[in-house]
Amino acid sequence: MSTVSPVFEAVDNRLVQRGSGYLAQAIRYRAFFAYWIRRSLAVRYRQTSFGWAWAVFEPLWSSLIYIVVFSFIVRVNTGPVPYPLFIILNVVLWNYFNRIVARSTTSITSNVDLLSKVQFPREFLPLGICAESATDLAIGLVITGSVFAYYHFLPPAIAPLAVFALLVETVLALGIAFYLAALTAIVRDLLIVIPLVLQLLFFLSPVIYPITSVPVFVNRFYFLNPLTAIFASYQETLLYGQFGHWKELLGTGAFAVVLLISGYQVFKRLEWQFADLL
Amino acid sequence: MTQIVQAEHVFKSYNANPKLEMKHLLQWTGQRFSGRQRLSGASRYTYVLNDVSFEMEQCDSLGIIGNNGAGKTTLCRLLASISLPTKGRIRVEGRVSSLIALGAGFHPELSGLENVYLNCSIMGLSRKQTASRVEQIVQFAELGEHIDVAVKRYSSGMLARLGFSVAVHLDPEIILIDEVLAVGDYGFQVKCLAAIREFMQRGTVVFISHDLGAVERLCKRVLWLDQGQVKGYGPSPDVISQYVAAQQRVIAAPAQESNEAPVGPEQTVLREVFDESIGVHDVETCDARGAVQSEFQMCDTLVVRCSLTASKPTRDLRIVIGLVDVESQAIVTAANNQMLEHPDAFVGQTRIECRFPNILLRPRSYGVYVGISNAKALMPLYTWRDTHARFFITGAKPEPRLHYSPPQSDLTFTPGVEMRYLSVNEGG
């Protein structure tokens, strides 16, 4: 424990910062963050009979539905890539984004007990959601890997570049998560609105269909959706082997960084309201 | 000496930001367009804390008392840096360990031991630092094998044990305790108070409790909050006795002045009639000169007057007049033997006056008890008891100054109580 005592000073609804900024404070609590994530993961499936098997089953189930619908009923042309392979990769990557955004809306409201009684850096709540979703992603990627192996599909040489898309996706999701976590505490309506928006985004982004199937004339507007560039990059780097949309990805990345920084600021400004509003 | 805790003109309102609420915004726009009246209360400020100021030095101890909803917990939340004051300044220097509510910071699915780790990490301890304390914490909590059970299965007493144990072992500089010890069993409460006392050697304590005895014993100073405002702030015995006196007055109020509801003295009397022929009426409390009064000071003379009727001749009557506290516990009783020694059977009506000179009662409110029994047969015939306070003691006269410490018994020896009959009307 540090020898210097922390000082809490507040005047007229404002916190008077002393010495350490937000990040320094968050770092001081790193042991808690580590424990918090471990605990969220430990508790997650504790009461279920099948435990972590659910983490495997969940992405498989939704992929299976899309496979049945889009390769037998409505045919989606994915070129040389087998559709099941295409879909499981995209669904796993979509779930990552979807989980962070959807769960962040409840990250504040579902932890009332902690927020109203204990002081700790509040950003750990959305960050914890992010870490939890990353675990799901890791499991999903292992599943995807085995599907790749099953089809004897060798990813193209530029596959490692997908890391950039993943980075952009994470930053974007986290930025949105900070905004939503803070705003949902104030405007509860977002709890209902956000799943609807996510549903729309799911169909507006190239998740269940390849980017190449989008008509060229809508392309300009289509890339206004930041997820388009991310999923286009995934498809290009991991499946098709030509990274055509890297410029769009860079643009989206810049947007995501701005979103994350401003989202964090907004979150820190509003965090004092949480305990009072809930 | 440096001030560890400072609160300067602190105001706290929970609806200070009505603009932030979409609902209000929509309401407001709706009203703009429909031209209807503004909904009341939509943006009215209500202060949960209203101009609260106090200071604490190192190793100081402050008790916060007040009725439910007075703002005690809100103040505690401000001190624990969970929320910010709407207006005014709060400054707390040092690591704060707070026990604001039962099971705060505990995860219901995790075991007691896992929660100890979680709680320690919330307080900013590293895993290594935690590991070195776990043994002490577990030992202090005395939960036995329950320490490995999920916390959701804990009783509130067990939660309090674990919570308190973690809080004191975190080695904080300031500890906030908000009425969580009350659910612990007697043994644990004693242990906690000892631990707090020990902690006070090196740290600062803010103690919120309705156990005024504990507050007085633990805290040097007391802050009395009433509807968010500071009603009293100063040395513990003074503020606590002011608070108690005010509380007792509130309890006494329904019996004293009833504006609308018929809760007059007669309605708040509990009568137990074992013999229909006996009756007790017109019980009054008067001062030394015989004027009916309901407010007395310590060391005043208090006179209880009543009339006793018997519709048929009754022998061996024994009369007990007592002063009872609000919980109906007898504080002072006076019994007569004159009636008993009277050779004739009593019939008709008599006025009885019982004089309690120099009443040494704590400033609280009290009721009156009149009991009529057959002394020979040891049979109760009639009891008359106030269920609400009838009079209250407002405090000591300036001279002589009496100091009471709460741990002592309430029972006070009142010498020289005399009971006499003013008149005996022998009836037919």
Side-chain angles (χ1 to χ4, degrees), chain B residues 50-368:
Chain B
N50 200 332
D51 201 3
V52 175
S53 303
F54 65 92
E55 281 186 341
M56 288 175 79
E57 289 171 355
Q58 194 161 11
C59 297
D60 218 344
S61 51
L62 179 76
I64 303 178
I65 57 172
N67 296 349
N68 300 130
K72 303 186 293 294
T73 299
T74 301
L75 184 56
C76 206
R77 278 156 56 116
L78 294 181
L79 295 176
S81 67
I82 288 166
S83 68
L84 300 177
T86 310
K87 258 194 274 176
R89 177 167 170 269
I90 283 247
R91 188 177 182 280
V92 180
E93 193 180 324
R95 291 183 308 277
V96 179
S97 160
S98 59
L99 267 173
I100 291 192
L102 274 182
F106 283 160
H107 192 286
E109 291 294 334
L110 295 173
S111 77
L113 192 64
E114 288 171 302
N115 265 304
V116 169
Y117 277 97
L118 177 64
N119 238 280
C120 287
S121 68
I122 289 180
M123 299 296 182
L125 261 66
S126 73
R127 222 176 143 69
K128 218 192 278 171
Q129 287 167 325
T130 306
S132 65
R133 276 159 230 245
V134 159
E135 189 129 338
Q136 280 176 293
I137 294 172
V138 171
Q139 217 158 44
F140 188 91
E142 288 174 3
L143 289 170
E145 69 265 35
H146 295 295
I147 198 77
D148 293 318
V149 173
V151 156
K152 65 179 174 183
R153 305 252 181 261
Y154 277 30
S155 70
S156 47
M158 288 157 82
L159 283 175
R161 277 170 174 267
L162 195 61
F164 184 83
S165 185
V166 171
V168 286
H169 287 101
L170 285 174
D171 211 9
E173 279 144 2
I174 299 159
I175 194 162
L176 305 173
I177 300 163
D178 183 3
E179 192 62 58
V180 285
L181 301 184
V183 293
D185 55 45
Y186 177 73
F188 190 70
Q189 284 191 25
V190 170
K191 198 171 164 183
C192 287
L193 293 180
I196 295 169
R197 215 180 278 277
E198 196 261 328
F199 174 79
M200 276 162 57
Q201 312 273 311
R202 58 208 146 85
T204 310
V205 176
V206 176
F207 187 66
I208 299 181
S209 183
H210 292 292
D211 181 353
L212 300 175
V215 173
E216 182 158 353
R217 270 168 281 155
L218 271 181
C219 305
K220 288 179 198 150
R221 279 185 299 171
V222 166
L223 181 76
W224 166 22
L225 289 178
D226 184 56
Q227 293 183 3
Q229 284 172 316
V230 178
K231 262 286 184 66
Y233 174 52
S236 301
D238 296 358
V239 179
I240 288 177
S241 60
Q242 281 171 32
Y243 171 69
V244 169
Q247 280 321 104
Q248 298 285 325
R249 209 178 285 254
V250 172
I251 297 169
Q256 298 303 320
E257 53 205 64
S258 50
N259 295 338
E260 39 204 67
V263 198
E266 286 305 308
Q267 272 70 37
T268 61
V269 164
L270 181 72
R271 294 162 199 268
E272 287 174 289
V273 184
F274 303 96
D275 186 331
E276 299 287 344
S277 63
I278 305 291
V280 171
H281 308 282
D282 308 322
V283 180
E284 295 168 330
T285 50
C286 324
D287 65 7
R289 280 166 312 212
V292 174
Q293 204 173 319
S294 61
E295 255 185 64
F296 298 88
Q297 284 185 312
M298 234 185 260
C299 302
D300 268 349
T301 294
L302 172 87
V303 179
V304 176
R305 278 200 309 232
C306 66
S307 59
L308 169 70
T309 56
S311 59
K312 64 177 195 218
T314 316
R315 279 185 185 282
D316 307 324
L317 282 182
R318 180 182 160 88
I319 301 156
V320 177
I321 293 183
L323 307 181
V324 294
D325 66 10
V326 283
E327 286 151 21
S328 278
Q329 288 199 19
I331 304 298
V332 192
T333 55
N336 84 309
N337 290 311
Q338 296 166 30
M339 202 66 121
L340 182 65
E341 287 152 8
H342 205 277
D344 300 326
F346 165 70
V347 69
Q349 185 180 29
T350 181
R351 295 284 296 162
I352 299 169
E353 193 179 274
C354 184
R355 184 176 287 261
F356 295 88
N358 193 28
I359 37 169
L360 283 178
L361 294 178
R362 290 161 69 192
R364 304 235 160 139
S365 61
Y366 300 89
V368 173

Side-chain angles (χ1 to χ4, degrees), chain A residues 1 5-6 8-13 29 32 35 38-39 46-47 114 117-119 186 272 275-276, chain B residues 12 20 77-78 81-83 85 88-92 94-95 105 107 109 114 121-122 125 129 152 173:
Chain A
M1 199 169 271
S5 306
F8 164 69
E9 188 175 0
V11 180
D12 297 345
N13 220 2
Y29 276 87
F32 168 59
Y35 200 87
R38 224 176 309 143
R39 162 247 84 144
R46 187 171 272 195
Q47 282 195 315
L114 211 55
K117 283 153 200 159
V118 185
Q119 174 52 36
I186 295 161
W272 290 100
D276 293 354
Chain B
K12 178 70 190 176
L20 275 176
R77 278 156 56 116
L78 294 181
S81 67
I82 288 166
S83 68
R89 177 167 170 269
I90 283 247
R91 188 177 182 280
V92 180
R95 291 183 308 277
H107 192 286
E109 291 294 334
E114 288 171 302
S121 68
I122 289 180
L125 261 66
Q129 287 167 325
K152 65 179 174 183
E173 279 144 2

